[in-house]
Structures are given as C-alpha cells and as structure tokens.
Amino acid sequence: MKVKTLRIISIFILCVFVLSGCTSNTPADNSSAGTGEKSSTTIVTSFYPLYIFTKNVAKGIQDVKVVNMTEPQTGCLHDYQLIPADMKTLEGADAFVINGAGMEAFMDKVLEQQEDLKVIEASKGIKLLKDENGEENAHVWVSISGAIQEVKNIAEGLAQADTKNAGAYKENAEAYVKLLEAQREKMHKELDTFKKKDIVTFHEAFPYFAEEFGLNIVSVIEREPGTDPSAGEIADLIETIKKTDCKVLFAEPQYSQKAAESIAKQTGAKVYLLDPVVTGEKDAPEDSYIKAMDENLKVLTEAFRQNQ
C-alpha cells in the first residue's frame, strides 16, 4: 500500500513539473510566434492635420496605432527643429505620414538616421501653387479638395505598407472622403452666393482655400507667422486695402492678431479669425477638421454678409 501511495505521489509531482514547463510567467509580446513579425502597426504623423486625416483612415482597425510626432499646438513646420523625442518616436514607426511639398524641411536628417523608414507623402501628385517669388506653397490641406487628395494618398500608402489591412484603410478613406465632399458642397452652396469676396490674410496659408471658394486675397499681412511686417510694408498694405475698399481682415487663432488689429484701425476694416487647421487638441476626435471648416464657413458668411 505504501509503495502504491508513493507511486501516485511521484506521478503527481512529475505532472506538476511538466505543466509548469508549459506555462510561461512572462507577458506576451506583440510579435507573431515563430515569424518574428509585429502583429501591431504604429503610424507616426508629422503634425496636426495629417494626424486627423490618418486617424480617419486607420479608424477602428485593430492593432493599428496613430501617433503624432509633434505637439498638437506646434502649428506649421516651416522652421521646426527635430528634438531627441521625435527621433525616438520615429524609431518605433512602421510608417511616417508627412505633408511633403517642402513643409517638413527636416526630412533629410530623418532619412540619414532611418534609411528604411516608410515615408508616405500626403501631397504627392497635387499641383502646387506658387507665390509671387516662385516659391511653392505647401498648405494644400487647407483646401477641402486638397485634404481629400491627401486622405486618398495616405490610404494608398498605408495599404502598401500594411497589406493585411489594405482593404480597411481604403474603406475608411472612402467613408471620410464622402464626409469631406459633403462639407465642400455645403460651403460652396453658402459662399458662392456672395459676389464680393476680397480678403486680407495673416500669412500664406489660404491660397488653396481661396482658389477653391473663389476668394480674392488682396494682400498678406505676414508672409510667415512670427515675422513682423516692416513700417513700409504696413504702409503699402494700408494703401492697398484703401484702394480696393477691402473691409475683411483674417487673422489666425494660432497667432497674435496685433498687426491685423493695428491695420484694421487705420483702414476701417474688421478682423475675423479663420482657422487653417494646423493646431488642435492632443487626442483630437476624427471630425475635428470638418468642425473647423464648419466654423470657418460661419465666420466667412458673417464677414461677407456685412461687407457686400
């Protein structure tokens, strides 16, 4: 009896060791077993508008994460300098979505350090407008038509980079494009009724928007944000506004309106805020771009009704 009991106990102990060997106490990682491939995808975007577009394209897709490299209040990346945290973020990226068209001047530095990084240029194939000096304007997303093309480019790029979710990216993009098209139609319906649409803008963010909705940019207060116009430039601008009888000055919520307000006092014009959608909340919802455009429509409608 004792021998039988000892045999049962020995078998039990052996089973415990076998089961312990089959159970891991370490947490599971994100790699597919035996393949070495990541089961999750991290998409990094360069700044706010690309973040919103990409969030819509990747909406609801399991194990796909969208991260914005810069702070959502950074604004346009004209003179942006990379910081170590940015490079750290890009180290974990499966794809990097940028605006392109010269907006991200730091890309040479990025590619020097990460040669294999998959870069998706949202403005690819879009005809770029040029200023009076022949410099190309990168603010294509401010036009809804430009935003639509960027969304399509993002979806196409992500479909190539992450083939298993290709269908979902394209389906999401199609759904979002329909919403953008509806917003564009809504804005045309309102704005096309106004004959006089002369405006002065804060900086060179609105040429694509103006072209789309038939606005006439009489002059620009500052070619680049943060570069105060000289006394001579202000005098010329005031003269131009008086000659054209333009009563609508558009500043941007991201920047100081002091220059615009000073000019308004000397010309009788009124300052309104028009949003180029370059900043927003940290975890901005997917409808943020459309909401910003809807607010722009309200502002433009009010301005033009008072100045016909």
Side-chain angles (χ1 to χ4, degrees):
M1 178 65 70
K2 287 182 179 180
V3 173
K4 186 176 180 181
T5 301
L6 288 170
R7 185 178 296 168
I8 292 172
I9 292 171
S10 298
I11 292 171
F12 174 76
I13 292 171
L14 179 62
C15 288
V16 169
F17 275 114
V18 170
L19 289 172
S20 297
C22 293
T23 305
S24 172
N25 290 323
T26 57
D29 60 21
N30 288 327
S31 299
S32 300
T35 65
E37 294 180 358
K38 289 172 62 180
S39 61
S40 62
T41 300
T42 299
I43 307 164
V44 176
T45 58
S46 61
F47 74 127
Y48 182 76
L50 281 305
Y51 174 67
I52 298 301
F53 297 160
T54 305
K55 277 190 71 172
N56 278 278
V57 174
K59 183 178 180 180
I61 303 177
Q62 189 174 8
D63 296 324
V64 173
K65 180 171 66 172
V66 180
V67 178
N68 197 33
M69 184 185 75
T70 55
E71 290 296 323
Q73 293 297 323
T74 301
C76 288
L77 303 179
H78 299 293
D79 301 310
Y80 184 78
Q81 299 294 318
L82 290 170
I83 59 175
D86 297 334
M87 298 306 297
K88 185 71 174 177
T89 299
L90 290 172
E91 284 178 10
D94 294 287
F96 185 30
V97 179
I98 67 172
N99 183 75
M103 177 59 69
E104 295 87 355
F106 50 74
M107 282 307 297
D108 286 345
K109 183 177 180 180
V110 169
L111 295 175
E112 280 178 11
Q113 297 189 36
Q114 299 194 46
E115 295 178 356
D116 297 328
L117 179 63
K118 171 65 177 177
V119 178
I120 299 170
E121 188 174 349
S123 64
K124 183 179 179 180
I126 297 176
K127 184 179 179 181
L128 301 178
L129 298 177
K130 296 181 180 181
D131 64 18
E132 58 189 22
N133 298 316
E135 185 176 343
E136 291 178 333
N137 191 307
H139 302 80
V140 295
W141 72 88
V142 186
S143 153
I144 297 181
S145 294
I148 288 171
Q149 188 57 53
E150 290 207 315
V151 168
K152 291 179 178 179
N153 286 339
I154 292 168
E156 184 64 33
L158 291 177
Q160 293 176 12
D162 179 20
T163 54
K164 70 177 181 180
N165 290 312
Y169 290 129
K170 292 181 179 179
E171 186 177 331
N172 282 344
E174 289 172 3
Y176 187 46
V177 164
K178 286 181 180 178
L179 295 177
L180 291 171
E181 289 173 339
Q183 181 66 27
R184 181 177 60 187
E185 183 178 350
K186 175 183 177 180
M187 294 180 75
H188 268 297
K189 188 175 180 180
E190 288 278 347
L191 298 177
D192 289 354
T193 61
F194 297 107
K195 293 182 179 180
K196 185 177 181 181
K197 290 183 278 188
D198 293 341
I199 64 172
V200 172
T201 62
F202 188 84
H203 86 284
E204 293 278 20
F206 292 99
Y208 294 95
F209 183 92
E211 182 181 63
E212 180 154 74
F213 295 112
L215 313 185
N216 176 36
I217 299 178
V218 171
S219 192
V220 177
I221 297 173
E222 298 178 7
R223 292 295 167 184
E224 294 293 344
T227 58
D228 293 330
S230 66
E233 288 173 332
I234 290 178
D236 290 341
L237 180 56
I238 290 172
E239 186 65 24
T240 299
I241 292 172
K242 288 180 176 179
K243 283 182 179 178
T244 58
D245 195 31
C246 178
K247 299 297 183 183
V248 183
L249 274 63
F250 285 111
E252 299 170 31
Q254 293 84 7
Y255 307 109
S256 168
Q257 290 100 51
K258 286 183 179 179
E261 290 170 352
S262 174
I263 293 167
K265 287 180 181 179
Q266 298 179 66
T267 60
K270 185 175 179 180
V271 178
Y272 299 87
L273 293 182
L274 202 60
D275 190 356
V277 203
V278 294
T279 60
E281 304 172 46
K282 190 171 184 63
D283 298 312
E286 285 86 0
D287 63 354
S288 296
Y289 178 88
I290 290 175
K291 281 187 174 180
M293 283 296 163
D294 215 31
E295 186 61 31
N296 283 340
L297 175 59
K298 293 176 183 177
V299 171
L300 287 165
T301 301
E302 177 190 350
F304 293 149
R305 277 178 179 164
Q306 295 180 11
N307 293 281
Q308 290 301 299

